Amino acid sequence: MDFLHLAAGAVWIGMLAQLVLFLVWLRNNVPEGKRAKLLAGPLQRFSAIAATSVAVLMATGAINGLSQVPDVEAMFDTAYGRT
């Protein structure tokens, strides 16, 4: 679960960084009238992969949390639970 959690976070953050670079490039090199058409495809791909990554992050985070904090007392008695 830790590997999946790390991989999903890396994919999401990596794609976010690439999206920012693409937006900067688009702003500097493409006329305003043509930007929307060029932006539609990458935004759709980013949205699908980002949504999947976030779902994997939530699921693996919940599973990891339940393995570290199995009961209510562990929320206060363990460092993981307090964090």
Side-chain angles (χ1 to χ4, degrees):
M1 287 299 131
D2 290 337
F3 176 75
L4 286 176
H5 194 78
L6 179 64
V11 166
W12 184 66
I13 291 172
M15 286 191 62
L16 192 59
Q18 288 181 6
L19 182 63
V20 169
L21 292 174
F22 177 67
L23 291 174
V24 169
W25 174 84
L26 195 69
R27 183 175 163 214
N28 292 334
N29 297 312
V30 178
E32 192 170 336
K34 296 182 180 182
R35 289 181 193 166
K37 186 175 181 180
L38 283 175
L39 190 57
L43 277 181
Q44 287 177 341
R45 283 188 296 275
F46 172 79
S47 297
I49 295 172
T52 303
S53 294
V54 169
V56 170
L57 282 167
M58 289 174 53
T60 57
I63 291 168
N64 286 339
L66 289 173
S67 71
Q68 296 291 324
V69 185
D71 54 17
V72 176
E73 291 83 26
M75 286 294 286
F76 305 103
D77 295 340
T78 64
Y80 188 93
R82 288 189 300 270
T83 301

